[in-house]
Every structure is written in structure tokens, then in C-alpha cells.
Amino acid sequence: MGDQKKAIKDLAAGIENGQTAQVLLGATGTGKTFTISALYLRLILGPGGEQGFGRELLPPQILVVTFTDAATKDLRDRIRARLAAAARFFRGELE
């Protein structure tokens, strides 16, 4: 899990420094979907403070590309689950 956290931090740093595109490559089971869904949530919520992206991002402003229909469905489901969990958290519904 440490490698995934580093990947998220590195990708977010690139975006925060003005890079408008990021590529995440890895073999099967390396955590690409986990990393992309976490980064997506981070871009929506914003890390805040001086480390912030500099502007609010909405889902239509973020493009995520995968190579198969199955990967697209999996990624879409994970992003939706993370957004739903975040919403429950902010509504105080999570214990």
C-alpha cells in the first residue's frame, strides 16, 4: 500500500505543478485502479492549503482513459463508491 500512496502523491504533485495529463502504467495487480480512483477523489475534494490544485475540479473536467470495457466499468464503479463514501462521511453517516 505504501507504493500506492507514493504513486498518488507523485501524480497529484504533477497535476498541482501545472501538468494537465498524467499516465499511470503498471502490470496486472499493481494498484492502478486503486491509485486512479484515489487520485480522482483527491482532485474532486482537493487537498487544500498551499498544496491545493489551485482551482476546483468537477467530474466533467477530469478525463480518465482505460483500454478495456471491463477496466472502464471497474474504475467507474470504484470512483462512484469512493465519491459515495466521501458524501456519507461529510453528511456524518459514517461511524
Side-chain angles (χ1 to χ4, degrees):
M1 196 69 85
D3 290 339
Q4 292 170 338
K5 288 181 181 179
K6 183 180 181 326
I8 294 167
K9 183 178 178 182
D10 291 347
L11 288 169
I15 292 169
E16 291 159 4
N17 289 326
Q19 295 176 344
T20 57
Q22 295 287 322
V23 176
L24 181 63
L25 302 172
T28 302
T30 57
K32 294 179 302 297
T33 302
F34 174 89
T35 301
I36 292 170
S37 62
L39 180 60
Y40 190 99
L41 184 64
R42 181 175 175 167
L43 290 172
I44 296 297
L45 297 178
E50 292 181 16
Q51 299 296 320
F53 181 62
R55 64 183 170 92
E56 179 181 292
L57 288 177
L58 300 172
Q61 297 170 307
I62 302 171
L63 175 65
V64 178
V65 179
T66 62
F67 290 101
T68 67
D69 289 338
T72 299
K73 181 184 181 319
D74 185 30
L75 187 56
R76 180 177 50 237
D77 292 347
R78 288 198 199 187
I79 288 171
R80 286 179 177 165
R82 283 183 178 267
L83 289 172
R88 287 192 304 275
F89 174 80
F90 288 116
R91 288 193 304 255
E93 297 172 1
L94 293 179
E95 297 177 10

